Amino acid sequence: MSPLLQTIIITVVVLLVLMTIAANLIWVERRMLALWQDRLGPNRVGPLGLVQVVADMVKIFFKEDWIPKFADRPVFFIAPTIVIITVLMSFAVIPFAPGISVVNLNVGLLFFLAMSSLGVYSVVLGGWSSNNKYSLLGSLRAAAQMISYEVFMGLSLMGVVILAGSFNLNDIVEAQGRITWFFIPQILGFFVFFLAGIAETHRLPFDLPEAESELISGFHSEYSGMKFGMFFVGEYLGITLISSMIVTLFFGGWLGPSFLPPVVWFLLKMAVFILIFVLLRAALPRPRYDQLMSYGWKFLLPLSLLNLVVTGLVVLLLK
Amino acid sequence: MLLSNLRTIWLTFLHLFRKAVTIEYPEEKEKLPARWRGRIVLTRDPDGQERCVACYLCAVACPVDCISLQATQDETGRRYPEFFRINFSRCIFCGFCEEACPTYAIQLTPEYEMSEYVRQNMVYEKEHLLINGPGKYHDYNFYRVSGLAIGGKAKGEAMNEDPPVDLRSLLP
Ligand code: SF4
Ligand code: SF4
């Protein structure tokens, strides 16, 4: 099989699997949230309500796709696509199993960080082009939140890079096979990255850009139909992305006892983190905006710097 | 703060093993209390005759004016409604009509499945409202308590009522 063909096949399969996962997360989230709130959740459509996703999709495709007269049309159109594109691009560098990744970039980690920063544009442009004060407030919040959490998201990962000695995600996973899974030496880094990941995907409890109780729906107030759906799929893809990054960087990626194939290990670990995302949503209230910011800058940033310095020191001393 | 957050998360997680409170409606139904204010019925007295005396009190008490009726009498002087109409698309099930009614004729029952596709069908006429029983008050019979003479019951034959006194017999 020629390498080109192989890449194309992997790309298509990864795309399909991701889209399926993201779509089914709608069901997973509604169902798990319900269980955690002593309810049942959607269980009518198909066995266990699994076909609910199809029903939701059909519904959202047939909804009126309304564009406000006062909106900035081209930008309004582009905004929802950006989030999906950037998140999907980030998946390109993730190694799902030995040899199964779309590209094997030697700066894979930086590529991921760059792409997730670009994702901010989606929210900012979406809020700006809606020409609505609530959307604008939401997108301003999103910009501030995502840019500040971006800072120590990157910093928290540098400990991993020091330990693995590489920006290449494949090498990082293999290094975890040699040393240990990095969440043990990098527990602080993991903690910071996880919080920053929640803030990046603006999920609850850090969903201030779309805080329903204050900003209607924040940056996507004016969106309807499938454009709104794209923001949503983007959000679920984001959860999947952050979960797979956590798995790759801190929990040994595809590594695991050999009675299951590596891909299955990867997906299992990813599923656990996706469920944790949902659990956080079920459990925690949203902080105030200034709390979010001061928490980020005054607590997480020093923590990630400390982590970086200590890791560097230890690695140097052990050399 | 971190610890309390973690505790919250853990407690929420434990809810996974609780039984859901959901009642899966069309298959399971909640048992409603007997005094639930649902679908309105018109009852009959223990003799099997309409209790309603068409006094209009329920229509007056109704805050949304959804009861309309027309009084009439039979040849013995017994009053009854010629038509009795409740518009359930307006009724708010407040129960004021039941409280206003002097004869226990109009009663609210714990039935609530009254949805319709056509709004017109929400208007219930007397034949839809009238039931073949006394409802919540089994023994009450207005005409047997009141002193009014109607067919089958002359003056003085009601409960706790003495036969009428012949005034002339009191003359000295
Ligand atoms: S329940 Fe209330 S609203 Fe309904 S008919 Fe009786 S008085 Fe009117
Ligand atoms: S239902 Fe009761 S209150 Fe209404 S008209 Fe008949 S007797 Fe009077």
Side-chain angles (χ1 to χ4, degrees), chain B residues 60-101:
Chain B
V60 171
C62 180
V64 292
D65 278 351
C66 69
I67 301 180
S68 86
L69 69 150
Q70 171 66 58
T72 186
Q73 301 188 347
D74 65 6
E75 57 289 349
T76 63
R78 184 184 170 110
R79 282 167 62 96
Y80 68 95
E82 190 177 348
F83 66 81
F84 197 105
R85 189 176 294 142
I86 299 184
N87 184 348
F88 279 109
S89 62
R90 279 213 242 160
C91 174
I92 56 173
F93 298 101
C94 60
F96 284 4
C97 48
E98 179 172 5
E99 291 190 26
C101 181

Side-chain angles (χ1 to χ4, degrees), chain A residues 110-150:
Chain A
L110 289 183
F111 183 78
F112 156 75
L113 288 174
M115 278 302 147
S116 68
S117 317
L118 279 183
V120 185
Y121 277 106
S122 160
V123 178
V124 173
L125 291 181
W128 176 256
S129 64
S130 302
N131 230 336
N132 162 327
K133 58 187 167 193
Y134 292 112
S135 306
L136 188 60
L137 279 175
S139 61
L140 282 180
R141 281 183 176 191
Q145 168 179 336
M146 287 165 96
I147 288 172
S148 37
Y149 274 70
E150 198 79 30

Side-chain angles (χ1 to χ4, degrees), chain A:
Chain A
M1 200 159 39
S2 74
L4 179 66
L5 191 64
Q6 197 182 358
T7 317
I8 290 176
I9 289 176
I10 290 178
T11 316
V12 171
V13 170
V14 167
L15 260 184
L16 284 181
V17 170
L18 282 180
M19 278 311 180
T20 325
I21 290 180
N24 278 292
L25 275 186
I26 298 175
W27 175 80
V28 171
E29 171 151 52
R30 291 180 58 187
R31 206 60 216 256
M32 293 314 291
L33 267 185
L35 287 181
W36 277 315
Q37 294 168 351
D38 292 347
R39 296 182 286 122
L40 287 177
N43 61 351
R44 287 299 158 114
V45 200
L48 289 175
L50 269 169
V51 198
Q52 182 72 36
V53 178
V54 181
D56 284 353
M57 281 289 166
V58 169
K59 184 188 108 177
I60 211 161
F61 269 112
F62 282 93
K63 285 246 166 169
E64 183 187 3
D65 192 356
W66 188 72
I67 300 162
K69 300 277 173 302
F70 43 80
D72 187 348
R73 281 179 76 98
V75 185
F76 194 80
F77 268 89
I78 296 169
T81 55
I82 295 178
V83 61
I84 295 203
I85 291 174
T86 54
V87 175
L88 284 179
M89 292 280 275
S90 317
F91 272 108
V93 294
I94 290 183
F96 295 96
I100 303 190
S101 62
V102 178
V103 281
N104 193 357
L105 271 187
N106 58 356
V107 287
L109 196 54
L110 289 183
F111 183 78
F112 156 75
L113 288 174
M115 278 302 147
S116 68
S117 317
L118 279 183
V120 185
Y121 277 106
S122 160
V123 178
V124 173
L125 291 181
W128 176 256
S129 64
S130 302
N131 230 336
N132 162 327
K133 58 187 167 193
Y134 292 112
S135 306
L136 188 60
L137 279 175
S139 61
L140 282 180
R141 281 183 176 191
Q145 168 179 336
M146 287 165 96
I147 288 172
S148 37
Y149 274 70
E150 198 79 30
V151 173
F152 38 87
M153 183 177 210
L155 280 176
S156 65
L157 294 183
M158 289 312 119
V160 172
V161 175
I162 292 177
L163 284 178
S166 166
F167 276 107
N168 185 324
L169 291 175
N170 265 310
D171 293 351
I172 290 179
V173 176
E174 271 156 21
Q176 296 186 59
R178 281 196 312 278
I179 313 172
T180 43
W181 290 5
F182 282 159
F183 78 94
I184 300 171
Q186 284 296 310
I187 183 76
L188 283 181
F190 163 65
F191 178 69
V192 174
F193 179 76
F194 187 56
L195 290 182
I198 303 173
E200 270 303 294
T201 49
H202 39 86
R203 286 279 304 175
L204 269 138
F206 294 157
D207 72 332
L208 284 127
E210 43 191 289
E212 286 87 353
S213 40
E214 349 174 340
L215 295 182
I216 308 176
S217 194
F219 62 91
H220 58 58
S221 300
E222 298 289 357
Y223 281 86
S224 55
M226 202 48 215
K227 290 206 200 63
F228 170 76
M230 267 150 90
F231 273 124
F232 240 82
V233 173
E235 182 174 327
Y236 285 122
L237 279 175
I239 299 174
T240 322
L241 174 67
I242 297 293
S243 305
S244 8
M245 280 316 274
I246 292 173
V247 170
T248 317
L249 296 170
F250 296 100
F251 286 82
W254 67 75
L255 302 171
S258 60
F259 57 86
L260 284 176
V263 185
V264 177
W265 275 116
F266 187 89
L267 290 179
L268 273 182
K269 293 179 198 171
M270 192 177 85
V272 169
F273 280 99
I274 290 176
L275 287 182
I276 292 181
F277 265 90
V278 180
L279 177 60
L280 284 182
R281 171 170 181 187
L284 295 180
R286 185 187 300 129
R288 242 172 30 223
Y289 195 66
D290 58 323
Q291 287 172 335
L292 175 87
M293 280 314 216
S294 63
Y295 189 61
W297 287 107
K298 293 184 190 156
F299 179 62
L300 292 181
L301 179 66
L303 204 63
S304 56
L305 283 175
L306 184 76
N307 178 45
L308 178 60
V309 172
V310 172
T311 316
L313 203 66
V314 171
V315 169
L316 260 187
L317 289 180
L318 289 184
K319 267 243 170 85

Side-chain angles (χ1 to χ4, degrees), chain B residues 150-171:
Chain B
I150 46 150
K153 189 204 82 173
K155 208 78 184 128
E157 288 178 10
M159 255 154 59
N160 303 326
E161 192 186 20
D162 294 330
V165 177
D166 183 359
L167 291 178
R168 256 152 273 197
S169 72
L170 292 177
L171 288 174

